Amino acid sequence: MRSEAAPQLDGLERFASAGKGRGLRARRRFAVGELLLSCPAYAAVLTVSERGSHCDGCFARKEGLSKCGRCKQAFYCNVECQKEDWPMHKLECASMCAFGQNWHPSETVRLTARILAKQKTHPERTQSEKLLAVREFESHLDKLDNEKRELIQNDIAALHHFYSKHLEYPDNAALVVLFAQVNCNGFTIEDEELSHLGSAIFPDVALMNHSCCPNVIVTYKGTLAEVRAVREIEPGEEIFSSYIDLLYPTEDRNDRLRDSYFFSCDCRECTTKEKDKEKLEICKLNDPPSAETVKDMIKYARNVIEEFRRAKHYKYILCLTLTPLVELLEICELSLDKMGAVFEDSNVYMLHMMYQAMGVCLYVQDWEGALCYGQKIIRPYSKHYPSYSLNVASMWLKLGRLYMTLKNRTAGVKALKRAIAIMEVAHGKDHPYISEIKKELEDH
């Protein structure tokens, strides 16, 4: 099946990818940094924590947003944004008023409610579905274990609990399929520092298959997804993005892919595992640790990372008080001390805990502490991640802003320019984020 004639899909086609199902393929050459396609969100929800700083409609970051006169919990750039978002916001507005502080559906539930409403009001194919329709999404229903099925049933219960007035529900079986489709095909929208802004569905972007050696990168301009080449792409070549964080070694990446997307990757990086040794670098000691010691420390690292994620969710997200944040920093520091007896600082498990510690320092405005962690992270990041990585760009950006805050303008300018060099390829030279960073340089 070839794509319909459309400027943003020119030179691309949907095709049957061997062993991968549907895929996206180039019909012409694309240069590094070139835009392959743009896709408006089929449905999107702003995360609750960003309300008031970003528009609920277009996700623009602005001061002086106007709040919804009814629920007073949604904020907009102007009347136009509010009117455009009303068909979706009305799903939540009355419910937010009725439940007050007890209104807390998950982001997945909120997004699914909007998809149901959109399917009712726009049964025809939308501008977001030129190559792939939402109803065509893979659900992997047959691969769901009991735990995942139970989580979906909890989401269905929440959907019925928090949404009723403006929604027509299909039967339970159809809802199970839809939630499974959203779980496998949803996107997380992030800002220039990779902070979470919301969740969305971009059908045409979801057509791309995964590779740990991607040739494109997905970035966001409000609720518009943009796909750009991060290496030269030749005619006939399949377009691959990455579904996961590429910092981690092969086994970890594939564990994540199997758990979330129900497949293992067979890309060159996963086949050769050529970066794994550097990613799992061991301390250079006169008496090197045994293979068993290394294996046990890797197991410990994976467990503490998972424990930290849970602690962060319950204490950092829900409580947001100083004491839990101090506790989280202590977890990081104790883990770094223990792992540091076996791992080099460039080891990805060390980097993970440093990144978490840096995040806590930033939240409590310990700028020197955050800078110290960031300085240790940036070089290994640049080595472990692919070229034009958003993770590397965001770290240079954080470092640049920290340097500027601490009055080290020379280092700040250098770091911000490194961030811009990556972002001009990944985001495009005209992206608002780049304009904002250049203005920061001028202001300092």
Side-chain angles (χ1 to χ4, degrees), residues 5 48-49 96 104 107 160-161 167 176 256 259 264 288 392 410 428 441:
V48 171
S49 62
M96 290 162 108
H104 48 71
E107 213 157 284
H160 283 285
H161 181 67
L167 268 187
V176 170
R256 170 73 193 282
D259 181 62
S264 296
V392 177
T410 301
L441 286 170

Side-chain angles (χ1 to χ4, degrees), residues 49-94:
S49 62
E50 293 299 330
R51 282 186 161 157
S53 59
H54 288 77
C55 174
D56 275 71
C58 70
F59 282 32
R61 180 169 55 203
K62 289 184 179 179
E63 294 182 2
L65 295 169
S66 301
K67 66 175 67 174
C68 171
R70 300 184 187 186
C71 68
K72 296 180 171 50
Q73 294 186 55
F75 294 78
Y76 298 96
C77 298
N78 48 45
V79 173
E80 288 72 25
C81 272
Q82 185 170 11
K83 284 182 178 178
E84 190 172 337
D85 191 51
W86 175 245
M88 295 293 110
H89 177 56
K90 74 178 181 182
L91 300 172
E92 299 180 346
C93 191

Side-chain angles (χ1 to χ4, degrees), residues 110 132 198 239 310 321 429:
R110 295 176 61 210
L132 182 70
I239 308 302
R310 287 198 294 269
T321 61
K429 294 182 178 181

Side-chain angles (χ1 to χ4, degrees), residues 145-155:
D145 57 24
N146 290 335
E147 182 181 359
K148 285 185 171 60
R149 288 180 179 273
E150 184 178 345
L151 289 171
I152 286 176
Q153 289 299 336
N154 291 341
D155 280 340

Side-chain angles (χ1 to χ4, degrees), residues 97-238:
C97 294
F99 283 95
Q101 292 185 342
N102 294 319
W103 188 85
H104 48 71
S106 70
E107 213 157 284
T108 301
V109 170
R110 295 176 61 210
L111 184 60
T112 305
R114 292 184 175 221
I115 293 169
L116 285 169
K118 186 76 171 271
Q119 289 177 336
K120 179 70 176 177
T121 58
H122 294 79
E124 71 284 357
R125 245 174 139 104
T126 67
Q127 285 294 104
S128 309
E129 302 171 283
K130 293 184 176 179
L131 292 177
L132 182 70
V134 170
R135 295 181 190 278
E136 294 182 273
F137 279 175
E138 189 67 64
S139 68
H140 297 290
L141 202 61
D142 59 323
K143 301 183 182 75
L144 297 182
D145 57 24
N146 290 335
E147 182 181 359
K148 285 185 171 60
R149 288 180 179 273
E150 184 178 345
L151 289 171
I152 286 176
Q153 289 299 336
N154 291 341
D155 280 340
I156 291 172
L159 184 72
H160 283 285
H161 181 67
F162 290 108
Y163 297 84
S164 57
K165 186 176 179 182
H166 299 287
L167 268 187
E168 292 181 22
Y169 301 102
D171 59 29
N172 189 78
L175 283 175
V176 170
V177 171
L178 181 57
F179 271 104
Q181 289 173 322
V182 172
N183 289 337
C184 286
N185 296 277
F187 287 79
T188 295
I189 297 180
E190 296 170 325
D191 68 10
E192 76 276 28
E193 289 193 4
L194 301 188
S195 295
H196 181 76
L197 293 184
S199 299
I201 293 291
F202 299 102
D204 286 341
V205 183
L207 181 59
M208 294 186 295
N209 287 312
H210 164 85
S211 172
C212 299
C213 310
N215 51 16
V216 299
I217 198 161
V218 182
T219 57
Y220 305 97
K221 192 179 286 182
T223 56
L224 180 75
E226 297 186 326
V227 179
R228 284 184 172 80
V230 290
R231 66 173 176 78
E232 289 188 356
I233 300 171
E234 299 299 330
E237 193 175 342
E238 181 164 2

Side-chain angles (χ1 to χ4, degrees), residues 27-64:
R27 296 174 59 197
R28 66 170 177 86
R29 182 183 175 276
F30 289 93
V32 172
E34 187 173 352
L35 181 68
L36 277 75
L37 69 94
S38 299
C39 182
Y42 178 88
V45 287
L46 184 73
T47 195
V48 171
S49 62
E50 293 299 330
R51 282 186 161 157
S53 59
H54 288 77
C55 174
D56 275 71
C58 70
F59 282 32
R61 180 169 55 203
K62 289 184 179 179
E63 294 182 2

